[in-house]
């Protein structure tokens, strides 16, 4: 199992230099990747519920320049709030800037307020997400037109550049059957959120039933409370490892203490880290 870090992007007072420091430290400690959340216009202040103070794609481009090994990804981008042609170009550019280390993690979103504010279709967000992923994959493999679906159409004159050396991998977030079907059809990775290890196994098995045998399966968890002993956290991480999860992304709580908790856990589970 590969261990990853979901970076703290919930504090408007935190300088972006802190994300740089934490990303570099995660790489030195041997974590496999660093990830950023996404909310464009939430109906309350950024904090425990809403992450994404710094726009994730722009910030990951910055982090690509100061790291060399870690995967760089979104966990997860609210895709139906993004224009897919522009997102395809951003993702391809990030793939080039990071020398192939970028993973586009997406979800359909759950905060209806953001969709209303953006004039986006909340009810149809699932179908638009799948359609957008198919379009992005087409552009990343074919480099242009022709292409047509219910939302976009262009002929053979359309040119898309830069074409990534390999298609940007798609991570699909979510626990519902709809998310699992999307992962099976158009995803390369799946990430469960808010699940226990036991619940993860049930949903992963469901992913396999839906045709996602080739899709890697992982989850997100958190250690955001100093009252919880590191021994308990390490035991839970090893429980995740025993489920056969391919990846586990950990959020270490508020930025105050984030690095300390990250270092403390890394010292307890060195067998799950590379290069440490």
């Amino acid at each position: 199992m590969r261990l990853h870090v979901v970076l703290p992007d919930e504090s408007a007072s935190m300088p972006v230099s802190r994300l740089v420091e934490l990303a570099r430290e995660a790489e030195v400690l041997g974590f496999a990747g660093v990830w950023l959340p996404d909310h464009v216009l939430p109906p309350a202040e950024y904090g425990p519920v809403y992450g994404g103070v710094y726009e994730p794609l722009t910030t990951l481009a910055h982090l690509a320049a100061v790291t060399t090994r870690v995967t760089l990804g979104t966990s997860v981008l609210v895709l139906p709030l993004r224009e897919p042609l522009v997102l395809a170009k951003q993702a391809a550019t990030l793939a080039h800037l990071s020398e192939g280390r970028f993973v586009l993690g997406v979800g359909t979103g759950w905060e209806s307020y953001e969709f209303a504010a953006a004039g986006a279709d909340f009810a149809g967000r699932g179908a638009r997400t799948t359609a957008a992923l198919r379009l992005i994959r087409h552009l990343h493999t074919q480099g242009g037109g022709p292409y047509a679906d219910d939302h976009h159409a262009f002929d053979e004159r359309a040119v898309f550049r830069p074409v990534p050396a390999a298609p940007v991998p798609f991570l699909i977030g979510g626990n519902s059957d709809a998310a699992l079907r999307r992962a099976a059809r158009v995803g390369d990775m799946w990430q469960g959120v808010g699940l226990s290890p036991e619940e993860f196994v049930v949903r992963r098995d469901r992913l396999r039933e839906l045709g996602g045998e080739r899709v890697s399966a992982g989850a997100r968890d958190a250690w955001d409370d100093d009252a919880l002993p590191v021994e308990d956290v390490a035991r839970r991480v090893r429980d995740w490892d025993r489920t056969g999860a391919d990846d586990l992304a950990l959020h270490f709580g508020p930025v105050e203490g984030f690095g300390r908790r990250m270092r403390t856990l890394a010292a307890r589970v060195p067998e799950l880290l590379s290069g440490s």
Side-chain angles (χ1 to χ4, degrees):
M1 185 178 73
R2 296 174 292 265
L3 275 184
H4 303 251
V5 175
V6 180
L7 293 170
D9 192 16
E10 300 86 21
S11 171
S13 63
M14 180 192 69
V16 74
S17 60
R18 189 72 184 114
L19 291 177
V20 170
E21 293 168 1
L22 290 169
R24 283 173 162 169
E25 185 168 22
E27 183 168 71
V28 169
L29 289 170
F31 286 93
V34 295
W35 302 74
L36 285 172
D38 177 49
H39 275 285
V40 177
L41 197 69
E45 190 55 71
Y46 287 94
V49 175
Y50 300 107
V53 170
Y54 291 103
E55 196 283 319
L57 299 177
T58 310
T59 307
L60 288 171
H62 184 57
L63 297 181
V66 297
T67 58
T68 60
R69 180 188 57 80
V70 285
T71 294
L72 304 161
T74 48
S75 180
V76 289
L77 195 81
V78 185
L79 193 154
L81 294 181
R82 308 276 175 152
E83 203 293 312
L85 289 174
V86 175
L87 179 56
K89 197 171 188 72
Q90 291 170 315
T93 300
L94 263 167
H96 279 264
L97 292 174
S98 65
E99 297 183 330
R101 292 184 287 137
F102 176 62
V103 173
L104 179 60
V106 305
T108 60
W110 55 268
E111 179 53 77
S112 60
Y113 179 90
E114 288 185 292
F115 283 75
D121 177 16
F122 185 72
R125 66 194 189 281
R128 292 192 73 92
T129 296
T130 301
L133 290 171
R134 293 188 189 279
L135 171 60
I136 293 168
R137 182 57 52 85
H138 171 86
L139 293 171
H140 285 186
T141 54
Q142 302 303 312
Y147 186 83
D149 63 17
D150 292 339
H151 310 286
H152 292 84
F154 42 87
D155 62 22
E156 66 280 354
R157 293 172 295 174
V159 175
F160 178 86
R161 299 289 186 273
V163 175
V168 170
F170 296 154
L171 177 147
I172 311 300
N175 306 328
S176 68
D177 270 14
L180 297 177
R181 281 192 293 269
R182 185 171 301 110
R185 291 171 182 169
V186 297
D188 304 287
M189 308 167 70
W190 166 68
Q191 185 180 78
V193 180
L195 300 175
S196 68
E198 295 77 17
E199 292 167 334
F200 165 79
V201 170
V202 173
R203 300 314 291 160
R204 182 190 58 197
D205 290 349
R206 179 61 174 154
L207 172 65
R208 304 302 183 224
E209 291 173 1
L210 292 169
E213 295 86 357
R214 61 173 182 79
V215 178
S216 69
R220 272 186 59 163
D221 207 337
W223 180 25
D224 53 11
D225 184 359
D226 284 331
L228 185 64
V230 65
E231 292 82 4
D232 292 352
V233 180
R235 187 179 305 113
R236 183 176 176 89
V237 168
R238 292 190 175 101
D239 287 343
W240 279 110
D241 188 33
R242 281 189 286 272
T243 68
D246 296 299
D247 297 276
L248 179 65
L250 291 165
H251 189 280
F252 291 94
V255 63
E256 298 80 7
F258 189 100
R260 171 174 47 78
R261 285 185 289 272
M262 182 174 68
R263 290 187 295 273
T264 301
L265 180 64
R268 295 300 181 108
V269 292
E271 73 277 10
L272 297 177
L273 300 171
S274 62
S276 57

